Amino acid sequence: MYSPRYSRQRIYVLRIGHRPERDKRITTHVALVARAFGAHGFILADIVDDKVMDSIRKVLYNWGGSLFIAQGIDSFKYVKIWKNFKGLVVHLTMYGINIDDVINEIRNSGKDVLVVVGAEKVSRYFYEEADYNIAIGNQPHSEVAALAIFLDRYYMGKELYFTYEGARIVIEPSPKGKKVKIFGKR
Ligand code: SAM
């Protein structure tokens, strides 16, 4: 059984630019993708949005995993600290270089990775501080898609087989209908 717990490198996702009135759903989806596709942490930067955090907690409670979550952390400082003391900073942007050109280097570095994803306009700061500005194709799309593809390339498809400890709900793959195992109280 695969689990992100056993991966040598840790991947954290830093969500910047979240606007509570517009982005609740998409930021929650960023966090869901982070968890489901093997990231170890999700940080909602510069703002507190308990609704988003509660949705993530609920998913962790039901579906398991040990995703670290935090909010309200200064994104500028966090990126600086990460760069100086923890590992690589990867900024996902359509203006960056092609993921295929650098993903092996990132994986083989053995370093932990902070993946920065934006909302609308991203400050120049992140382009300059990032070790890698990476494009998932050079067309505009979405932070959810960009993160999913980054993690997929990073794990080379193995993330689709990850299982999560402490899950109360586990799906049994089935060609038709829904097969679900429920453990404990919900
Ligand atoms: N104009 C914005 C910018 O400065 O990049 C794009 C905003 S887009 C709605 C929100 C986020 O999705 C971006 O900050 C980036 O993280 C991600 N994104 C969108 N398209 C991407 C692409 N082709 N490659 C990598 N990331 C992308």
Side-chain angles (χ1 to χ4, degrees), residues 32 35 53-67 69 164-170 181-186:
L32 295 186
R35 175 197 161 274
M53 290 291 142
D54 285 348
S55 304
I56 306 166
R57 280 191 202 101
K58 222 183 214 169
V59 170
L60 287 167
Y61 179 79
N62 283 320
W63 296 88
S66 50
L67 183 78
I69 55 171
Y164 292 91
E165 71 284 2
R168 286 175 170 75
I169 309 176
V170 174
K181 282 187 181 163
I182 309 281
F183 300 92
K185 273 195 197 152
R186 288 178 54 208

Side-chain angles (χ1 to χ4, degrees), residues 92-94 117-120 122 127 134-137 139 141-143 146:
L92 298 182
T93 166
M94 64 181 173
V117 294
E120 211 172 23
V122 173
Y127 291 84
I134 295 184
I136 309 295
Q139 304 296 322
H141 47 81
S142 131
E143 47 274 53

